[in-house]
């Protein structure tokens, strides 16, 4: 499993090197903020806190925070509403602010590896190397190239310093401590790891569709083979309905969810939603096809969907028709004991796809390696 990117944050050394501590998972999305607190008990995870609050569309636009004050207020309100007392939090990034790339390096000693990764990073990162923080994780120290030469398989991650600093300031502004930084795609991977059986020969595609970004993470067993972020999500549905039908954002959001609104032709709405469903499905298919072009050692067995957009009427069925095989909604509470959370089971079942990143983040611990 991918290590947390905690070294990207300038943390207090006592936090970094002290004993592992529980964290709050804080998923800051374009349309809402989700908070999750989990605790491991006798080999099983227990949901202690869960809450989510919507954000106005102009607070975060295309992944950029436009109104930090309102976002901080929303986080504070969420903390008060859930009565969460933990101060250490795990947050995550995705989209244009982060690059994830699997690279191959010649066999290198541990002492020289970091330097080799940074040299290689300049070839793969489309940013000024001085504007990013670089992290890496060795996937296979004894891999082989196609011609049989020894090599190391390394997962390279680069995050824009500007985005990392922005997240830190937001978290601090809410009175919290930024303890762990992760990537959305790997938070979803962790969520999957505790909720589903992992067959080492099975290839699974995890798709997280938020308001403005879609993350695709393809796993074989517990190893990530491919990740990709796309700038498409639930906002595409809303914008299309607004443009085609001349309605407000609020009315378009309701129509997207399948709610009947006076003056809106249900058949016309369905047609628009189906058109965007086809666009989203095509984007997922492109990611899968790109993966297949370089990986020929097996077929994808299952696609698990999560994120607020995953429940859009007709999307899962459209993807089944387009891709074939098993396509289903992920349940981040599948093997989590939720009985002591104080939340209604029907409510948790309804919002489960939106909780996936938050659950993955809440699995982190301060001091993770």
């Amino acid at each position: 499993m991918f290590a947390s990117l905690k070294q990207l944050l300038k943390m207090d050394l006592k936090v970094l090197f002290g004993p592992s501590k529980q964290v709050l998972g804080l998923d800051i999305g374009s349309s809402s903020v989700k908070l999750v607190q989990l605790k491991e008990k006798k080999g099983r995870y227990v949901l202690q806190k869960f809450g989510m609050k919507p954000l106005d569309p102009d607070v975060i636009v295309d992944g950029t925070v436009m109104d930090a004050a309102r976002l901080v207020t929303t986080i504070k309100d969420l903390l008060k509403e859930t009565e969460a007392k933990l101060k250490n939090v795990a947050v995550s990034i995705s989209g244009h602010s982060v690059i994830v790339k699997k690279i191959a390096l010649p066999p290198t000693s541990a002492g020289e590896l970091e330097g080799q990764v940074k040299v290689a990073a300049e070839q793969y990162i489309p940013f000024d190397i001085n504007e990013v923080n670089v992290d890496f994780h060795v996937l296979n120290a004894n891999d082989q190239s196609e011609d049989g030469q020894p090599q190391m398989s390394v997962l390279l991650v680069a995050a824009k310093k500007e985005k990392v600093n922005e997240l830190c300031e937001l978290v601090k502004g809410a009175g919290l401590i930024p303890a762990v930084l992760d990537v959305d795609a790997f938070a979803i991977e962790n969520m999957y790891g505790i909720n589903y059986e992992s067959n080492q020969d099975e290839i699974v595609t995890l798709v997280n569709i938020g308001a403005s970004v879609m993350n695709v993470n393809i796993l074989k067993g517990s190893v990530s083979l491919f990740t990709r972020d796309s700038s498409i999500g639930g906002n595409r549905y809303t914008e299309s309905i607004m443009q085609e039908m001349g309605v407000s954002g609020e009315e378009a959001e309701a129509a997207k969810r399948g709610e009947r609104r006076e003056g809106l032709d249900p058949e016309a709405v369905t047609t628009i939603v189906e058109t965007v469903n086809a666009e989203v499905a095509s984007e997922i298919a492109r990611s899968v096809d790109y993966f297949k072009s370089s990986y020929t050692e097996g077929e994808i067995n299952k696609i698990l969907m999560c994120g607020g957009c995953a429940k859009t009427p007709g999307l899962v069925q459209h993807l089944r028709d387009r891709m074939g095989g098993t396509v289903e909604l992920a349940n981040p509470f599948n093997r989590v004991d939720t009985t002591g959370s104080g939340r209604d089971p029907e409510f948790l079942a309804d919002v489960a796809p939106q909780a996936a990143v938050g659950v993955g983040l809440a699995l982190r611990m301060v001091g993770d390696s």
Side-chain angles (χ1 to χ4, degrees):
M1 202 63 73
F2 184 75
S4 61
L5 307 180
K6 60 184 184 300
Q7 55 263 55
L8 298 184
L9 300 171
K10 295 179 176 63
M11 298 182 296
D12 184 282
L13 290 180
K14 291 181 181 178
V15 175
L16 182 56
F17 295 110
S20 293
K21 296 179 183 178
Q22 191 178 3
V23 299
L24 288 175
L26 189 65
D27 175 19
I28 303 174
S30 294
S31 63
S32 63
V33 180
K34 281 77 68 178
L35 180 151
V36 181
Q37 180 177 320
L38 299 173
K39 187 172 184 178
E40 189 175 9
K41 186 176 182 181
K42 296 181 180 179
R44 190 178 185 189
Y45 285 93
V46 176
L47 180 66
Q48 296 179 305
K49 307 284 184 184
F50 177 77
M52 57 186 295
K53 294 192 78 67
L55 290 172
D56 291 332
D58 59 341
V59 174
I60 299 178
V61 179
D62 294 330
T64 301
V65 178
M66 308 301 291
D67 194 331
R70 270 197 288 170
L71 180 52
V72 167
T73 297
T74 300
I75 296 172
K76 287 181 177 179
D77 290 345
L78 192 54
L79 290 167
K80 184 176 181 180
E81 182 181 287
T82 58
E83 299 182 341
K85 304 301 181 186
L86 294 179
K87 293 297 182 183
N88 292 314
V89 298
V91 291
S92 58
I93 55 178
S94 64
H96 299 306
S97 297
V98 61
I99 300 293
V100 180
K101 183 79 174 177
K102 184 180 177 182
I103 64 174
L105 295 175
T108 306
S109 67
E112 298 177 342
L113 183 57
E114 184 172 350
Q116 289 290 330
V117 168
K118 288 185 176 179
V119 170
E122 297 191 29
Q123 303 175 40
Y124 297 103
I125 298 171
F127 311 129
D128 184 329
I129 196 68
N130 296 313
E131 295 178 357
V132 297
N133 291 325
V134 177
D135 193 11
F136 65 92
H137 178 65
V138 177
L139 297 173
N140 187 346
N142 301 299
D143 206 353
Q144 286 189 342
S145 64
E146 291 184 0
D147 59 0
Q149 296 300 310
Q151 65 180 23
M152 297 181 71
S153 179
V154 176
L155 197 64
L156 171 69
V157 183
K160 282 191 174 181
K161 292 179 181 178
E162 180 182 9
K163 185 65 175 180
V164 173
N165 293 335
E166 178 185 69
L167 277 172
C168 286
E169 292 307 311
L170 287 169
V171 168
K172 291 176 182 176
L176 301 169
I177 301 170
V180 176
L181 178 65
D182 209 340
V183 175
D184 283 0
F186 296 116
I188 294 295
E189 182 179 337
N190 284 342
M191 175 282 297
Y192 172 76
I194 69 159
N195 282 292
Y196 296 88
E197 291 292 340
S198 181
N199 182 328
Q200 294 306 305
D201 295 322
E202 185 178 49
I203 300 178
V204 177
T205 300
L206 307 179
V207 181
N208 175 48
I209 313 179
S212 59
V213 177
M214 177 172 70
N215 320 117
V216 175
N217 188 359
I218 300 179
L219 312 175
K220 184 173 184 181
S222 59
V223 177
S224 177
L225 301 175
F226 173 85
T227 65
R228 180 172 179 255
D229 288 354
S230 301
S231 298
I232 189 171
N235 290 344
R236 187 68 60 90
Y237 293 89
T238 306
E239 291 163 1
S240 295
I241 295 171
M242 290 172 64
Q243 292 170 4
E244 295 290 331
M245 308 199 73
V247 298
S248 67
E250 181 181 352
E251 290 175 307
E253 280 288 329
K256 177 181 71 177
R257 294 191 297 268
E259 297 177 17
R260 297 274 181 138
R261 288 294 176 107
E262 187 176 349
L264 289 183
D265 180 1
E267 290 186 6
V269 172
T270 298
T271 298
I272 296 169
V273 169
E274 280 299 307
T275 298
V276 182
N277 278 346
E279 188 178 351
V280 172
S282 292
E283 189 63 28
I284 295 171
R286 271 194 288 273
S287 294
V288 171
D289 288 343
Y290 185 82
F291 163 74
K292 286 181 176 179
S293 70
S294 59
Y295 190 88
T296 58
E297 298 178 24
E299 291 293 321
I300 290 175
N301 304 102
K302 180 167 58 178
I303 297 176
L304 281 181
M305 307 279 290
C306 58
C309 186
K311 291 184 67 178
T312 300
L315 178 57
V316 167
Q317 186 58 52
H318 196 106
L319 200 57
R320 287 184 186 130
D321 296 340
R322 171 68 185 262
M323 306 289 291
T326 302
V327 182
E328 60 188 53
L329 290 175
N331 179 9
F333 304 124
N334 188 40
R335 293 184 177 177
V336 175
D337 182 355
T338 63
T339 55
S341 66
R343 305 311 301 251
D344 179 69
E346 290 187 7
F347 167 75
L348 290 177
D350 184 53
V351 302
Q354 294 168 266
V357 170
V359 168
L361 293 174
L363 293 169
R364 295 302 197 190
M365 301 286 282
V366 178
D368 275 352
S369 60

